[in-house]
Amino acid sequence: QVQLQESGPGLVKPSETLSLTCTVSGGSISSYYWNWIRQPPGKGLEWIGYIYSIGSYNSGNTNYNPSLRSRVTMSVDTSKNQFSLKMRSVTAADTAVYYCARDVDRKRFDSWGQGTPVTVSS
Amino acid sequence: QSGLTQPASVSGSPGQSITISCTGTSNDVGIYNLVSWYQQHPGKAPKVIIYEVGKRPSGASDRFSGSKSGNTASLTISGLQAEDESDYHCCSYTRSGTWVFGGGTRVTVL
């Protein structure tokens, strides 16, 4: 049973870069779609983007939510079985619980991390 | 991309059936049978209960069922139980190769 765990700072200043990492255990990070999804307080879920890990290379195909594309970058580290999110120029609107999740065969998000809260405030 | 449209809240009495709608467009719900539904209890991560419109993953209750007509997908909960009180989110794959969620529906068991 694959398990995912998010990690990163819980507080980020406005205009700075939010950086989160998701560690995958119990399975390989290769050949799956790995996603970031967030949930602002009291609101619904918002898909941020995915990275598809190709073999043992630290590269992969990515696709991002059009509304966030200009500020988001995802990367993967196969040696550590981790993937990461960087979101630049954050504002208070980026305050949310951030989840990492696995997408199986483009059909569903079958495994989720527990979520990590991030607050954007000075 | 705009989010999918769900009712903010739905309620029902124990034993009843309720249906939650999820309306998208011909660029997402209407074009692919890749609609999934997620149950989320307070403070917890979402959990998939329906995928590919009407399929249930292993372990999901058979009281959950899904369907789709045109640009609208639906989740039906039969034999409503207290444990079903939760938030429910629909999600669809889109023509652009991205995913889009609905705003979520709070289900209350009266």
Side-chain angles (χ1 to χ4, degrees), chain A residues 39 45 63 99 106-107 109, chain B residues 38 40 52 93 96-97 101:
Chain A
Q39 185 171 34
L45 300 168
N63 201 356
Y99 295 99
R106 318 304 283 130
K107 294 177 181 178
F109 302 110
Chain B
Y38 299 84
Q40 184 182 29
E52 288 188 88
Y93 191 64
S96 304
F101 282 95

Side-chain angles (χ1 to χ4, degrees), chain A residues 1-2 4 32-35 37 47 50 100-112, chain B residues 33-38 46-60 89-93 98-101:
Chain A
Q1 177 76 358
V2 67
L4 289 75
Y32 285 106
Y33 293 85
W34 301 98
N35 296 257
I37 296 163
W47 179 78
Y50 74 70
C100 55
R102 185 179 74 170
D103 161 11
V104 179
D105 294 336
R106 318 304 283 130
K107 294 177 181 178
R108 64 195 184 276
F109 302 110
D110 70 326
S111 299
W112 295 67
Chain B
N33 287 328
L34 291 174
V35 175
S36 49
W37 290 88
Y38 299 84
K47 176 183 175 183
V48 61
I49 55 174
I50 292 289
Y51 69 101
E52 288 188 88
V53 175
K55 296 181 179 179
R56 276 188 306 274
S58 174
H89 307 270
C90 64
C91 179
S92 176
Y93 191 64
T98 62
W99 294 94
V100 62
F101 282 95

Side-chain angles (χ1 to χ4, degrees), chain A residues 1 6 21 23 33 38 41-42 47 50 56 74 94 97 113 116:
Chain A
Q1 177 76 358
E6 304 90 349
T21 295
T23 300
Y33 293 85
R38 69 181 182 179
W47 179 78
Y50 74 70
S56 60
M74 294 183 185
D94 296 310
V97 174
T116 187

Side-chain angles (χ1 to χ4, degrees), chain A residues 38-87:
Chain A
R38 69 181 182 179
Q39 185 171 34
K43 295 187 178 182
L45 300 168
E46 180 180 33
W47 179 78
I48 299 171
Y50 74 70
I51 184 164
Y52 180 78
S53 175
I54 302 172
S56 60
Y57 300 102
N58 280 344
S59 64
N61 297 328
T62 57
N63 201 356
Y64 305 129
N65 186 321
S67 69
L68 300 171
R69 185 167 289 150
S70 64
R71 299 194 292 129
V72 168
T73 302
M74 294 183 185
S75 60
V76 64
D77 186 335
T78 56
S79 67
K80 296 181 179 179
N81 239 32
Q82 294 177 334
F83 63 103
S84 299
L85 167 71
K86 289 190 185 298
M87 182 179 292

Side-chain angles (χ1 to χ4, degrees), chain B residues 9 11 14 18-19 21 28 38-41 48 67 77 80 83 90 96 101 103 106:
Chain B
S9 63
S11 62
I18 61 169
T19 297
S21 61
D28 39 65
Y38 299 84
Q39 179 188 53
Q40 184 182 29
H41 290 295
V48 61
S67 62
I77 308 176
L80 199 62
E83 66 200 49
C90 64
S96 304
F101 282 95
R106 173 70 53 88

